Amino acid sequence: MSGPSTPASEPDRPSASTPASEPDQPFGPASGPVGASVPGPHWGAGAPVPSSSLWLRPSDPGRKAAATPRVLLLALLTGLLTSWLLNDGLGANLLVCAAGTAAAAGLAARAAGRRIRPWTVVWSLLAAALLVVPALWEAGWPVTLAVVCALGLASLALHGGRRWPGVLLPLPAILWQLPPGVLWLVDGLRGRSLPGRGRIVPVFKALAVAAVLLTVFGVLFAGADAAMADLLSGLSPSLDLDRVPLRFVLFVLGALTALGFAHIAAGPRRWDRTVVRPGRARGRLEWALPLVALNLMFGVFAVIQAVVVLGGADAVLRNTGMSRSEYARQGFWQLSAITVLTLAVVAVAKRWAPRATPADRRVARILLGALCLLALVVVASALGRMWFYVDASGLTRLRLWVLVVEGWLGVVFLLLITAGLTRGAGWLPRAVLLSGMLSVAAYGLAGPDAIIAEQNVSRYERALAADPQTARIDLRNVRDLSADAVPALDRLPGAQRTCALQVIAADLADHPKPWYAAGASAARAREILAQRPAVERPTGGRSACEQAGMPFEDIWY
């Protein structure tokens, strides 16, 4: 079993003078000088290079196109759109702001004379799919995760990369590109005049005069006629002075983000050139003995799981004195920790694996491959236990998320096994990241809160059909869901429905949002609640939640 590449070829060792990642950059090299250029970081002759910057030197961009007035205008436009649209929340408005940012980055890349690569398209399309999540759903955690991952993928699309440094380091790069983006803009525009200034300035003056005239006469017409006042109030934007600071912050954030991505596109840092030196190879016995022992322990666990699956579960439960639900719950978190630790062991063992001879490399491949194969048994056992626990106790946000993560870890082990069986594994870093981002996209686009509500309601309906006296639903869990859950919770009977929906209904009533600042699920939830309001009807002094069997101390509004 090997890591990203077979030990024999060692393509993962770049040299500072060989741009190993050149063919895989998101944009092809410029055919020649295009306009003015801003050179990459350099140090004067004889000047000492700070030791903290040495590791960055190999990844310095060869050239960087200068900023243009069009990039400035697009950044300002993106800032205005962000200030105007994102003030009320996230929804389809995020796609509009992302379009402005993409246009600024595209102009900068075009000025640098770069060509789009296939992986640039892959990462860009996946980032766009993640930005669709806020337009569909309301749940906060999936939306936040999707937006953060979309920003990381957009940065990777502009940087490119195939090795682990080239795939992982670009993800947070936008965070440290914001101040340099401003400096890049100032340097690029210094001494340049705005094109078309003679046409643009009169237009701005005319718009300013028109705004003043419309404001003055609009106020007068609104005071003279109620119908005109109603029409103008619907057309004119509301100005809440309390929100002016927030709008200013959003404007600055939107403009800086657009400049940051444009700065990357004008000349991305070549992270694939980062030198990552392999660890000192250990002796075969020193390295292999711990792995053999660990493989034996994993093998014993795999045999026990086979016995349980083949019918020995009752005996195991009798010996442990645990119920099936307790056995599943108690074991899942430990197995999840084992899965993550196994990945860490594989990474560390690969770094210090013996590689002097073909026999050393063969032993490393066999032991690490066996460990990854046995880790799949751990993943399958963890998923089985959690699924059993969900069937017994219902689905929650945490349980659904860990199911997704555990499933993705299983995919990672499969990719590692495949890499160990192939001669070249340069595809591994991008494949691992792609599988992770596809998991996040599937998780967000599917609507986690809607899935959780559907599973709990369906489970309750089955229990009602089997024995109405013992049927229960965890109202504490479903009351905490977002508007995404309303279609499923609407199927609950009487008091259960009112108790489950009253918090969501109150939140929708207290925080109205325009259509572009909310997910489509919010509109569906409002329509359902308008047809069948979740109205509290106390009976005998007891609220709907108390009638549904929820303890008074657990009720919150």
Side-chain angles (χ1 to χ4, degrees), residues 1-385:
M1 178 69 196
S2 65
S5 61
T6 56
S9 58
E10 291 289 351
D12 284 355
R13 297 185 187 178
S15 65
S17 60
T18 304
S21 62
E22 187 73 29
D24 232 33
Q25 288 303 307
F27 303 98
S31 57
V34 181
S37 65
V38 179
H42 65 279
W43 307 96
V49 179
S51 58
S52 60
S53 302
L54 287 176
W55 73 279
L56 286 173
R57 292 296 302 276
S59 64
D60 286 347
R63 65 179 297 275
K64 187 180 289 290
T68 63
R70 291 183 179 181
V71 171
L72 171 61
L73 292 177
L74 278 173
L76 294 176
L77 175 62
T78 303
L80 290 173
L81 289 173
T82 303
S83 174
W84 175 37
L85 297 176
L86 297 190
N87 184 62
D88 296 308
L90 298 182
N93 49 12
L94 200 59
L95 290 170
V96 178
C97 298
T101 302
L107 280 180
R110 183 180 179 182
R114 301 181 184 276
R115 299 184 302 272
I116 297 177
R117 299 289 185 178
W119 275 99
T120 306
V121 178
V122 172
W123 299 131
S124 300
L125 290 178
L126 190 50
L130 288 167
L131 291 179
V132 173
V133 174
L136 297 178
W137 306 105
E138 280 288 290
W141 161 241
V143 166
T144 302
L145 181 65
V147 172
V148 171
C149 290
L151 289 173
L153 283 178
S155 176
L156 177 59
L158 296 174
H159 279 93
R162 67 171 67 185
R163 299 173 58 244
W164 286 110
V167 168
L168 297 180
L169 291 178
L171 295 178
I174 187 60
L175 296 178
W176 56 74
Q177 289 292 338
L178 301 183
V182 176
L183 298 177
W184 167 72
L185 178 69
V186 173
D187 290 339
L189 298 183
R190 184 179 290 117
R192 298 184 60 169
S193 60
L194 188 66
R197 181 177 179 180
R199 296 189 303 269
I200 295 176
V201 173
V203 171
F204 276 106
K205 289 182 178 179
L207 289 176
V209 173
V212 172
L213 292 176
L214 289 176
T215 301
V216 173
F217 283 92
V219 171
L220 294 175
F221 275 120
D225 187 84
M228 189 68 175
D230 183 65
L231 175 63
L232 292 176
S233 64
L235 294 177
S236 60
S238 60
L239 179 61
D240 189 349
L241 294 179
D242 293 337
R243 291 195 171 189
V244 169
L246 176 59
R247 289 186 183 274
F248 177 75
V249 171
L250 289 174
F251 170 79
V252 172
L253 183 61
L256 287 180
T257 302
L259 284 178
F261 279 116
H263 181 235
I264 295 173
R269 184 171 286 277
R270 308 300 178 86
W271 291 111
D272 267 347
R273 296 177 179 175
T274 304
V275 178
V276 180
R277 305 189 183 280
R280 182 176 62 86
R282 307 291 176 175
R284 187 183 299 181
L285 179 64
E286 176 188 3
W287 178 87
L289 184 60
L291 280 182
V292 170
L294 191 60
N295 274 320
L296 289 175
M297 177 173 287
F298 273 63
V300 171
F301 176 80
V303 171
I304 293 176
Q305 297 309 297
V307 171
V308 172
V309 171
L310 294 176
D314 293 336
V316 173
L317 293 176
R318 284 196 303 270
N319 292 334
T320 59
M322 303 171 69
S323 67
R324 286 181 176 269
S325 179
E326 291 172 339
Y327 182 69
R329 181 176 68 252
Q330 185 267 343
F332 173 80
W333 300 108
Q334 289 86 338
L335 294 178
S336 298
I338 289 172
T339 306
V340 176
L341 288 176
T342 303
L343 277 179
V345 168
V346 171
V348 172
K350 170 64 174 63
R351 180 172 174 80
W352 281 285
R355 49 186 174 269
T357 66
D360 286 336
R361 295 192 288 270
R362 191 179 307 112
V363 169
R365 186 176 294 110
I366 291 174
L367 289 180
L368 291 176
L371 184 60
C372 290
L373 190 61
L374 291 171
L376 288 177
V377 178
V378 177
V379 171
S381 178
L383 289 174
R385 292 186 187 209

